[in-house]
Amino acid sequence: MVSPRVKTLYRYASADRFLKGYKYHRRQIVGAMSAIIIRYPIILVNLKTYEEAMGQRAIEFAKIAERVYEKTGITVAVAPQAVDLQAVAESSEAPVFAQHVDPVKPGKGTGHILPEAMAEAGCEGTLISHSERQLPLEVIEATIKRAREADLYTVVCVDTVEKARRVAAFQPDAVAIEPPELIGSGIPVSKAQPDIVRGAVGAVKGVNSKVKVLCGAGITDGEDVTAALELGAEGILVASGVVKARDPYAALLDLARAMQRWKPPVVDVVG
Ligand code: G3P
């Protein structure tokens, strides 16, 4: 038996994970399977604890993400609150991420969030050490390990280039650079602090070229996205620019369209 919908993460250039994610022993199938293709660049919408994005409204944001994916082919994942996660995962094709998990093992862990429980609830990945839920480095390392054991995709948030370098050594799937002072400000990191994005890309790729780099904080429109991609980011983390938008669908579509239009620079290889 396999769970109602098997969301299969097929990550660009990582077939083994696709096979790994396709472990029947943990999932139960009832009815048709469905598969999701995840390619970069990616948009990750963090619903935080915004009232506008809890309960039924969290489901509506996931359906908006799915509509934008269908219109643009750009992968849009959502990170609802833990209590909403299963309902969101069961109501849309959008990949669902946890906002936080704990590096605990099954057993006596009252009040902690078990990675396997999130995976079983339909979660594909997790944010780790978001600026609003920061963790010490050794806990970040332990959480990446536990999340990977539960087959969750890991996106570790950092606030400095040096931290990006340190975290990349723990081999997460992605590192997201977010200067805390710009979060929720509407002032885009890609324009206000381009050096921190460029620096994080260089630092992470210098440690491990497989680790993806996202950026976030203050991103609200397509121009902010284009600027981020030109700095080498492979995706964005966004919250208020979508959750608090008068028309969240239009706001998200504008971000995705910018990714759709963007063409990586052609590198001239001489000799
Ligand atoms: O995790 C994303 C977030 O911290 C960015 O927030 O509201 O500036 O898009 P916001």
Side-chain angles (χ1 to χ4, degrees):
M1 296 279 290
V2 181
S3 65
R5 253 173 323 137
V6 175
K7 284 186 186 176
T8 313
L9 266 180
Y10 180 69
R11 211 158 13 128
Y12 202 48
S14 178
D16 67 340
R17 186 130 177 120
F18 170 66
L19 295 170
K20 199 164 169 268
Y22 215 68
K23 283 187 191 162
Y24 284 91
H25 71 270
R26 188 159 42 99
R27 296 172 190 267
Q28 311 251 321
I29 283 184
V30 181
M33 277 197 310
S34 64
I36 291 188
I37 304 289
I38 291 222
R39 279 184 294 273
Y40 283 85
I42 184 178
I43 300 174
L44 216 169
V45 185
N46 182 359
L47 303 182
K48 301 193 175 185
T49 53
Y50 284 118
E51 267 184 311
E52 296 91 331
M54 66 183 201
Q56 183 55 39
R57 281 158 289 180
I59 292 174
E60 280 147 31
F61 274 99
K63 291 195 173 184
I64 286 172
E66 193 182 331
R67 281 171 57 205
V68 170
Y69 169 75
E70 276 154 13
K71 208 151 181 87
T72 63
I74 297 295
T75 299
V76 182
V78 291
Q81 290 181 64
V83 68
D84 294 326
L85 199 137
Q86 181 149 9
V88 169
E90 287 172 356
S91 62
S92 114
E93 288 292 338
V96 177
F97 279 57
Q99 292 178 12
H100 171 78
V101 294
D102 294 301
V104 292
K105 294 227 176 227
K108 293 187 288 181
T110 305
H112 288 81
I113 299 183
L114 181 68
E116 282 80 0
M118 290 309 227
E120 198 63 33
C123 201
E124 308 294 353
T126 186
L127 295 177
I128 296 174
S129 193
H130 185 276
S131 170
E132 291 138 21
R133 191 67 172 81
Q134 284 196 35
L135 303 169
L137 276 174
E138 66 278 7
V139 180
I140 292 174
E141 186 176 16
T143 307
I144 292 169
K145 192 167 168 295
R146 285 292 298 114
R148 187 167 288 282
E149 286 165 4
D151 215 14
L152 292 175
Y153 193 91
T154 52
V155 177
V156 182
C157 300
V158 296
D159 52 357
T160 65
V161 171
E162 185 43 36
K163 200 151 174 206
R165 194 190 325 277
R166 304 277 300 274
V167 162
F170 304 149
Q171 307 207 0
D173 294 293
V175 170
I177 180 85
E178 294 202 313
E181 66 279 11
L182 294 179
I183 291 178
S185 68
I187 303 167
V189 58
S190 51
K191 292 185 183 163
Q193 295 187 26
D195 291 346
I196 203 172
V197 179
R198 208 182 282 116
V201 171
V204 169
K205 298 297 179 184
V207 172
N208 182 340
S209 60
K210 280 212 190 90
V211 178
K212 302 289 182 184
V213 181
L214 312 182
C215 72
I219 292 178
T220 59
D221 64 27
E223 269 185 38
D224 306 340
V225 170
T226 307
L229 298 175
E230 275 161 6
L231 293 165
E234 292 153 298
I236 62 158
L237 235 66
V238 62
S240 54
V242 171
V243 173
K244 292 204 166 268
R246 220 160 18 80
D247 181 346
Y249 174 70
L252 196 50
L253 189 60
D254 177 41
L255 302 176
R257 287 265 187 246
M259 285 189 174
Q260 213 186 357
R261 280 193 302 271
W262 191 72
K263 297 279 171 290
V266 178
V267 184
D268 277 334
V269 183
V270 181

